[in-house]
Amino acid sequence: MPSDPRSGVLTLLHTACGAGVLAMPFAFKPFGLLPALITLTFCGICSLCGLLLQTRIVKYVPKSENASFAKLTQLINPSLSIVFDFAIAVKCFGVGVSYLIIVGDLMPQILSSILYRNDDSTGDSQEHHMFLDRRLCISLVMMFVIAPLCFKKSLNSLRHASMIAIVSVAYLCGLIIFHFLYRSELERGQVYFMTPHQDAQSHSPLTTLPIFVFAYTCHHNMFSVINEQADKSFKILRRIPILAISLAYVLYVVIGGTGYMTFGDNIVGNIITLYPNSIYTTIGRLAMLLLVTLAFPLQCHPCRSSIKNMIVFIKNLRKDKTDDSTAGFIPLDDLSSEDPQEEVARQNNEQSNLPIESSRQTNVITLCILIFSYLLAISITSLAKVLAIVGATGSTSISFILPGLFGYKLIGSEFTNSNDRVPTRVKLFKYLGLLLFIWGIAVMVASLFATAFLGSSSH
């Protein structure tokens, strides 16, 4: 069923505004207020350019096929498609695992706040203790909430979940603004409007640059959003990323700016942990729990698509080798076929089974993603270092490098064998892709350097 642009905006906004909103105020700390706002704006513009390039290059994919990074890679260099699909799958899988870890961290706090609010007896505490086990919390959320949503076949079917998640972000935004206006009971540190004074204990801006860069990452779902649109013209499609990134930018400015000005140098990676326990804070934790829970399927969907593309690539590679080894050989079945109509009927029966096989494959892949994500989440309590590296490579590739490379290679290619003059607008998009590709490489190197030598940005 085709979706409308509004559904696409909600999907992209939900994908971008994940658990990173909690760390946005901390990202302001090594920059200072004004430089952080400038960096946030510039990163938003770069991400928007990547999304616009994706909407521009979908026309180069045959109309009979759905657009994807794998399809575009086949147009420029088919042998690299499996590499890019692997990067997308690893990135989405890693972020999904981090969401489950956050569920394991937040849900026991929420239950503890609810169960022990008016509970003074030791016996009742022992009785409730089993419900505070993070593994049990992850298991329940995975079984009854995440798994049913992940088995949905399209992102459009998750539009209601996206709406609920956006409401959760809006509540968090309101909670931060409220504490900014009424912060008399909070311990406020020094607020710097320009670059803070650097000392031995200060963080380099490079340590929090990935937070700005990856805050807008929703590019892995952009092609799925485009494929589900009824009108795929650039004039209509461009409105989706413009509106989604604009809304995300406003949220990040409000959450990051007011959060940083509330606590100053005392800000930490998860801002909601700094607020005193209250019914409003508990609701805020519930909102973030809901946000990451509903965001998991938005990581599972592109991860599943990339794995399916990798399977098709491997099957085609094996098929090519088989065809080469059996060249000139005529199967006996073909020699014994006397009725062409029987052969046509057999082929039709095989084609009628394809949807069933495709559905079964989709369910098996989804089940594997859920199982491995669950096993990692219950056995590992912190993936900060690993996810920082995965994000620095996977997210940067998806947001900047791939859209830039595809834009530079494909845009204007229809004029290669023509004497027609290349329009100026086409040239601008083409070289915008080149600049975005170079920027992506620079960000990847800087982020990896910061992760390896300057420490993780999540404190």
Side-chain angles (χ1 to χ4, degrees):
M1 177 180 177
S3 64
D4 56 8
R6 182 175 57 182
S7 176
V9 171
L10 289 175
T11 298
L12 293 183
L13 186 59
H14 183 192
T15 308
C17 296
V21 296
L22 295 174
M24 185 54 65
F26 177 75
F28 279 58
K29 182 178 179 180
F31 283 88
L33 183 62
L34 185 58
L37 291 174
I38 294 174
T39 305
L40 181 65
T41 304
F42 181 73
C43 291
I45 293 174
C46 291
S47 293
L48 178 59
C49 289
L51 292 169
L52 290 175
L53 284 173
Q54 287 181 260
T55 63
R56 188 78 178 182
I57 59 182
V58 291
K59 69 176 185 179
Y60 296 98
V61 178
K63 293 184 178 180
S64 60
E65 301 178 0
N66 287 332
S68 66
F69 283 113
K71 295 294 183 184
L72 291 168
T73 306
Q74 291 176 7
L75 296 177
I76 61 173
N77 192 339
S79 61
L80 294 178
S81 62
I82 192 172
V83 177
F84 293 140
D85 273 313
F86 179 77
I88 296 171
V90 169
K91 182 266 174 188
C92 296
F93 178 81
V95 174
V97 172
S98 72
Y99 287 165
L100 293 180
I101 292 175
I102 293 173
V103 169
D105 293 338
L106 288 181
M107 197 167 177
Q109 294 180 355
I110 296 169
L111 293 176
S112 176
S113 174
I114 295 173
L115 296 175
Y116 298 156
R117 178 174 295 277
N118 298 315
D119 188 3
D120 297 328
S121 64
T122 307
D124 289 340
S125 298
Q126 292 293 332
E127 179 182 350
H128 295 322
H129 179 71
M130 63 171 292
F131 294 104
L132 304 183
D133 182 75
R134 65 181 300 273
R135 292 174 294 181
L136 177 61
C137 293
I138 294 174
S139 302
L140 294 176
V141 172
M142 171 67 82
M143 185 180 303
F144 294 107
V145 182
I146 292 178
L149 291 175
C150 286
F151 281 98
K152 298 290 185 180
K153 297 298 185 295
S154 68
L155 292 179
N156 185 38
S157 59
L158 299 175
R159 62 188 182 278
H160 299 301
S162 296
M163 177 65 76
I164 296 174
I166 298 305
V167 172
S168 302
V169 176
Y171 179 85
L172 176 66
C173 185
L175 182 68
I176 293 176
I177 293 175
F178 174 80
H179 284 288
F180 169 70
L181 297 176
Y182 304 96
R183 56 180 184 271
S184 58
E185 299 180 358
L186 302 177
E187 184 177 353
R188 180 181 178 184
Q190 179 67 41
V191 175
Y192 294 95
F193 289 90
M194 299 303 294
T195 304
H197 301 298
Q198 298 293 327
D199 54 37
Q201 297 181 345
S202 298
H203 298 282
S204 168
L206 284 178
T207 60
T208 60
L209 176 62
I211 297 178
F212 292 121
V213 174
F214 308 139
Y216 302 97
T217 302
C218 55
H219 301 65
H220 49 290
N221 280 330
M222 186 62 196
F223 286 129
S224 296
V225 169
I226 293 174
N227 294 333
E228 295 173 6
Q229 296 299 309
D231 188 346
K232 294 183 175 60
S233 62
F234 178 72
K235 185 177 180 180
I236 299 298
L237 291 178
R238 67 182 180 182
R239 299 174 185 174
I240 298 176
I242 290 175
L243 185 56
I245 294 299
S246 298
L247 292 174
Y249 174 73
V250 172
L251 285 173
Y252 292 144
V253 168
V254 174
I255 292 175
T258 57
Y260 172 68
M261 287 189 292
T262 301
F263 296 100
D265 275 352
N266 292 334
I267 191 69
V268 296
N270 189 343
I271 187 174
I272 204 170
T273 61
L274 294 176
Y275 296 130
N277 289 328
S278 66
I279 183 63
Y280 304 107
T281 306
T282 300
I283 294 175
R285 288 171 179 158
L286 277 170
M288 290 311 304
L289 176 66
L290 190 63
L291 174 66
V292 298
T293 300
L294 297 179
F296 187 96
L298 295 179
Q299 302 296 330
C300 181
H301 189 279
C303 181
R304 180 176 65 199
S305 298
S306 295
I307 293 175
K308 292 172 70 174
N309 291 333
M310 293 167 62
I311 293 174
V312 171
F313 181 90
I314 295 174
K315 286 183 177 179
N316 291 337
L317 192 63
R318 291 179 177 178
K319 181 180 179 182
D320 291 340
K321 292 182 178 180
T322 303
D323 291 342
D324 291 340
S325 62
T326 60
F329 174 74
I330 302 177
L332 293 178
D333 291 342
D334 291 348
L335 293 176
S336 61
S337 180
E338 298 178 356
D339 190 354
Q341 293 183 354
E342 293 181 1
E343 180 66 18
V344 173
R346 183 182 63 81
Q347 293 178 357
N348 290 336
N349 289 333
E350 290 178 354
Q351 291 177 357
S352 65
N353 291 330
L354 287 179
I356 299 177
E357 294 177 359
S358 178
S359 178
R360 185 185 299 115
Q361 183 191 62
T362 299
N363 291 335
V364 170
I365 294 174
T366 303
L367 183 61
C368 291
I369 293 173
L370 293 175
I371 291 175
F372 285 112
S373 299
Y374 170 77
L375 292 176
L376 280 176
I378 63 173
S379 58
I380 303 176
T381 58
S382 176
L383 287 177
K385 195 80 172 181
V386 175
L387 292 183
I389 298 174
V390 171
T393 54
S395 294
T396 307
S397 300
I398 297 168
S399 301
F400 305 138
I401 297 177
L402 289 183
L405 178 62
F406 293 144
Y408 179 70
K409 288 288 188 179
L410 295 176
I411 295 178
S413 59
E414 64 270 27
F415 296 97
T416 303
N417 298 323
S418 174
N419 294 326
D420 296 338
R421 181 176 176 271
V422 180
T424 304
R425 189 176 182 180
V426 174
K427 288 183 178 179
L428 288 176
F429 273 101
K430 182 179 182 67
Y431 289 104
L432 174 64
L434 179 61
L435 291 175
L436 194 65
F437 175 79
I438 296 173
W439 163 247
I441 295 295
V443 169
M444 177 182 290
V445 173
S447 299
L448 288 174
F449 176 82
T451 302
F453 300 104
L454 301 180
S456 175
S457 61
S458 58
H459 297 278

